[in-house]
Amino acid sequence: NGDKKSLGELIQTMNGATVDPNVEVVCGAPTIYLDFVRSKLDAKFGVAAQNCYKVPKGAFTGEISPAMIKDCGINWVILGHSERRHVFGESDELIGQKTAHALESGLGVIACIGEKLDEREGGITEKVVFAQTKVIADNVKDWSKVVLAYEPVWAIGTGKTASPQQAQEVHDKLRGWLKANVSEAVANSVRIIYGGSVTGGTCKELASQKDVDGFLVGGASLKPEFIEIINAKK
């Protein structure tokens, strides 16, 4: 989303805002604007690429690599977003390979997982998100550089938000899975953030849930209310 004009206005709003110093903020910009955003945005805010490929360079026209992202002064990448999975057909396996390479290259990874509406209605939410998480976990050596983002696909841009209780329930189960399959230390320390129609109106109650450590914000990040969301715990 965005162009230099609208992103410039958003950056001015961000740079002038009073934000909770205890919240780490990372802005995911389109590839073509990564340099522009990093040069204009206050250094206290991080910047993320929205995707990358699994190798440093080569004949993969149109793709970008973690090396290129780092070369622009960017420290984060979002991987496995539901649109990458369901619009562009990326498999769990590819997302796992990308995760491994991004981490080896020194990028922080915001790794996305989540079920579609028919999967939730079919009662297989846990099965789906655990399978997605396993492929990510199998490719992680250092969990301090990983943030897990749970985003129920049925709640993205639909105006439907998972209730705070639904979000908390999945986050709690994810923590339980990490405890059983990775380690208790990782389960306790890894940040699990929620994505899916997060707005100024829904953020406070969602933020109050015990296992919701933050948000992956879509459409609302393009509006001044993004500041309210950053400050949801204040």
Side-chain angles (χ1 to χ4, degrees):
N1 276 288
D3 50 29
K4 283 188 179 175
K5 182 173 182 289
S6 64
L7 293 176
E9 288 165 2
L10 200 54
I11 288 165
Q12 272 190 308
T13 302
M14 297 278 298
N15 289 351
T18 305
V19 295
D20 186 337
N22 299 313
V23 177
E24 184 173 7
V25 181
V26 178
C27 300
T31 304
I32 199 166
Y33 297 128
L34 285 172
D35 234 350
F36 171 77
V37 170
R38 185 62 287 171
S39 67
K40 305 277 187 200
L41 191 64
D42 191 305
K44 70 173 177 268
F45 300 118
V47 178
Q50 295 179 2
N51 190 32
C52 69
Y53 198 51
K54 62 181 181 180
V55 293
K57 59 182 182 183
F60 304 100
T61 303
E63 289 290 340
I64 62 166
S65 71
M68 295 170 185
I69 293 167
K70 287 194 73 182
D71 196 35
C72 292
I74 314 296
N75 296 320
W76 288 91
V77 64
I78 301 167
L79 292 174
H81 191 280
S82 63
E83 287 142 22
R84 297 305 317 174
R85 293 175 186 271
H86 303 304
V87 180
F88 300 103
E90 292 188 10
S91 66
D92 286 352
E93 183 189 21
L94 176 60
I95 291 156
Q97 292 166 341
K98 289 180 175 195
T99 299
H101 180 59
L103 290 169
E104 283 159 11
S105 305
L107 284 180
V109 171
I110 299 163
C112 304
I113 53 178
E115 82 284 11
K116 295 188 287 191
L117 185 59
D118 60 335
E119 293 165 338
R120 175 162 281 265
E121 288 176 344
I124 57 167
T125 293
E126 278 174 61
K127 183 182 168 195
V128 171
V129 297
F130 289 172
Q132 291 172 343
T133 305
K134 182 182 188 312
V135 180
I136 290 161
D138 287 347
N139 286 283
V140 175
K141 293 190 183 81
D142 178 6
W143 280 91
S144 70
K145 302 293 291 272
V146 177
V147 173
L148 273 183
Y150 168 61
E151 37 157 32
V153 182
W154 49 272
I156 299 169
T158 58
K160 284 184 185 177
T161 314
S163 71
Q165 293 73 30
Q166 285 173 316
Q168 166 59 25
E169 183 184 11
V170 175
H171 284 223
D172 178 52
K173 286 183 171 156
L174 279 167
R175 243 180 252 291
W177 186 93
L178 290 166
K179 185 176 174 181
N181 295 277
V182 182
S183 75
E184 187 166 4
V186 165
N188 291 337
S189 65
V190 75
R191 291 174 288 180
I192 306 176
I193 63 177
Y194 170 76
S197 299
V198 177
T199 65
T202 60
C203 64
K204 277 211 177 324
E205 200 185 348
L206 282 162
S208 71
Q209 302 302 308
K210 175 176 170 284
D211 289 295
V212 175
D213 300 317
F215 299 123
L216 185 70
V217 186
S221 69
L222 302 170
K223 302 170 188 167
E225 73 182 285
F226 187 40
I227 308 299
E228 288 172 55
I229 297 168
I230 294 168
N231 292 331
K233 282 223 181 217
K234 258 185 151 178

